[in-house]
Amino acid sequence: MSESVIDRVRSVMAAASVNQAAFAEAIGLTSDKLSKSLAGVRRFTSYDLARIAEFGHTTVDWLLTGREPQRPSFAARTSVPTVDERGRDRLSELIERFTTAYEVIDLLGLSPELPELPTVRADLKRYVDQGVALADDALARLRGEGAPAIGELGTADLLQLAERAFGVDVAKVGLPDGLDGAAWQADGFRLVMLALTDVPTRQRFTLAHELGHILARDAQDLLTETHLSPGHQKDLTEVRANVFAANLLMPRDEIVAAVQNSELTDERLTQLVVRFEVSPSALAARLGQLRAITSESANRLRGMTTQDCHWLAGQSDLYEARKTWSQTKRLPYRPALLLYEAYLAGDTTLRPLAAYTGLDVDTVRGRLEPEPVPPGVESSSTGADEGDLVFQP
């Protein structure tokens, strides 16, 4: 005989080694209501199950169905040949953190309808050509959302636009050493994770690369990428994602418009690096593909760094601002909002939101429900006389 919800609730209670009265108090039910629910006379509400799942460190989905949480496969791009065991554990923790949030959202019936993705051109046999065509379709979608020229779009704006246009949640988190980014997708969500870095152009390219995996639907299967040794054939899905990223970040029409009727001096090339926010080597490769640069100029450009180009272009402050942003953590807003709204509606506890943000429940509650100001105390009072300078951090 298969287990029922009641059986699984009883197993939670048994695992905790508490009696029925203590269990009822812990989950916020009266002993009478718990007795009726365990006898099948009263149904457990969604809020009851959320409290039981929190108490038992499990999921509401498991209580209802007995299914263990499913963890989707992911596609990842690494800058070192291997990620050690500690790094894999860290990645597993992140997968657990984000996927649990999506499972709760889905269980509550709050999963948003995701925009339809562009389709990989089946008539194009070469993965390079597929990457170009996919980038063209993506650019059309972005421009349809009101995007200006990509060369005028900062990474923060590009990220938000990608979230809106393709239904992709983008996080900037502390990934394991050597991991630049990761992506996975399922029926109810699409997620890209970007590593924090002091090289902003790397993060921007990784965003576009992982977006290419999502749009090509590569991230439904387990896929990891390392920088292979010279002479070894690369995974074709990675080739397609790289081509997609280059064509998305340096669109042909924008590059052609930027270089036509203009002598590509070293000064001009550094300005283009700053404008498109790509590495000098990436720009050299793109201009070489378009036959817009000599091999000598391309080699000189490859010998420079992104920071060098910003400095030579008189944009060192901009570089520092971009670097600061690329080192700042970011969680996708939409899941957090959905979990918070579910909490306000009484459909779940704060535990899913706390787990998603990486904070403990008490800290989240303290931030969302601050202590009231005692009577007689002016909340806006600073204790300073009118006209005094007040420091506000």
Side-chain angles (χ1 to χ4, degrees):
M1 183 176 177
S2 60
E3 280 191 335
S4 66
V5 173
I6 294 174
D7 293 328
R8 285 185 283 276
V9 171
R10 288 187 181 278
S11 71
V12 169
M13 187 165 56
S17 300
V18 295
N19 60 34
Q20 191 166 310
F23 183 67
E25 182 179 358
I27 63 174
L29 281 178
T30 64
S31 295
D32 179 59
K33 285 186 177 180
L34 178 59
S35 296
K36 289 181 179 179
S37 296
L38 292 175
V41 177
R42 171 187 177 273
R43 296 188 64 177
F44 286 106
T45 67
S46 59
Y47 185 74
D48 295 340
L49 293 174
R51 293 296 300 267
I52 293 169
E54 180 177 355
F55 178 85
H57 301 287
T58 185
T59 65
V60 176
D61 189 41
W62 179 80
L63 291 172
L64 289 172
T65 67
R67 292 193 303 263
E68 292 297 331
Q70 296 182 354
R71 294 296 175 261
S73 301
F74 60 93
R77 191 166 70 89
T78 61
S79 56
V80 296
T82 60
V83 176
D84 60 23
E85 184 175 352
R86 183 178 179 182
R88 291 181 184 277
D89 289 343
R90 169 60 179 159
L91 190 58
S92 296
E93 291 173 4
L94 287 169
I95 290 173
E96 177 79 17
R97 175 176 168 184
F98 286 103
T99 310
T100 298
Y102 287 120
E103 286 175 342
V104 173
I105 290 169
D106 181 61
L107 183 66
L108 296 173
L110 299 176
S111 294
E113 184 176 350
L114 300 178
E116 185 178 353
L117 295 177
T119 302
V120 175
R121 292 270 302 274
D123 59 313
L124 299 175
K125 302 304 180 185
R126 295 201 316 153
Y127 275 55
V128 170
D129 297 332
Q130 292 176 7
V132 172
L134 198 59
D136 289 343
D137 290 342
L139 285 167
R141 176 79 64 86
L142 293 175
R143 288 165 178 167
E145 290 285 336
I150 298 300
E152 300 173 6
L153 203 60
T155 303
D157 294 327
L158 177 62
L159 183 155
Q160 293 176 15
L161 194 60
E163 286 186 322
R164 185 168 72 248
F166 304 110
V168 180
D169 293 319
V170 183
K172 297 193 298 169
V173 291
L175 292 178
D177 291 343
L179 198 62
D180 294 333
W184 72 79
Q185 59 198 128
D187 290 340
F189 65 86
R190 300 162 186 158
L191 181 79
V192 165
M193 290 193 300
L194 305 175
L196 305 178
T197 177
D198 59 359
V199 185
T201 52
R202 174 183 294 174
Q203 191 177 81
R204 182 179 176 92
F205 190 86
T206 301
L207 168 63
H209 179 100
E210 302 302 346
L211 182 61
H213 276 311
I214 293 288
L215 269 55
R217 297 162 181 82
D218 295 334
Q220 298 177 77
D221 301 317
L222 180 63
L223 174 68
T224 59
E225 182 219 344
T226 60
H227 286 281
L228 304 178
S229 301
H232 289 213
Q233 184 178 6
K234 290 185 177 181
D235 186 294
L236 292 178
T237 61
E238 297 298 332
V239 172
R240 179 171 59 198
N242 276 335
V243 171
F244 170 87
N247 281 265
L248 181 76
L249 298 179
M250 296 170 282
R252 173 185 289 269
D253 58 344
E254 293 184 31
I255 290 289
V256 170
V259 302
Q260 67 181 358
N261 303 323
S262 175
E263 183 181 357
L264 288 183
T265 61
D266 290 350
E267 180 182 5
R268 178 59 177 153
L269 291 173
T270 60
Q271 292 171 351
L272 292 178
V273 166
V274 174
R275 173 180 171 182
F276 287 95
E277 201 173 341
V278 294
S279 68
S281 59
L283 180 63
R286 184 68 170 134
L287 292 175
Q289 293 167 358
L290 299 176
R291 302 183 185 279
I293 192 174
T294 65
S295 58
E296 292 79 11
S297 293
N299 288 334
R300 285 200 305 275
L301 185 57
R302 290 190 183 97
M304 303 179 70
T305 67
T306 305
Q307 187 173 13
D308 292 337
C309 292
H310 280 74
W311 185 81
L312 291 171
Q315 296 286 354
S316 56
D317 288 347
L318 177 60
Y319 179 80
E320 292 301 322
R322 287 173 170 177
K323 186 170 70 170
T324 297
W325 189 86
S326 68
Q327 295 173 313
T328 304
K329 291 183 179 180
R330 178 193 192 270
L331 284 177
Y333 175 68
R334 178 169 49 187
L337 178 62
L338 292 173
L339 292 173
Y340 181 55
E341 289 178 341
Y343 165 69
L344 292 179
D347 294 330
T348 187
T349 67
L350 277 177
R351 184 182 174 217
L353 180 60
Y356 175 70
T357 58
L359 302 172
D360 62 76
V361 174
D362 290 338
T363 299
V364 173
R365 181 175 288 109
R367 293 182 180 182
L368 297 177
E369 303 169 0
E371 292 293 329
V373 178
V377 177
E378 292 291 339
S379 60
S380 60
S381 174
T382 64
D385 292 333
E386 185 177 355
D388 283 353
L389 294 176
V390 179
F391 172 69
Q392 292 184 313

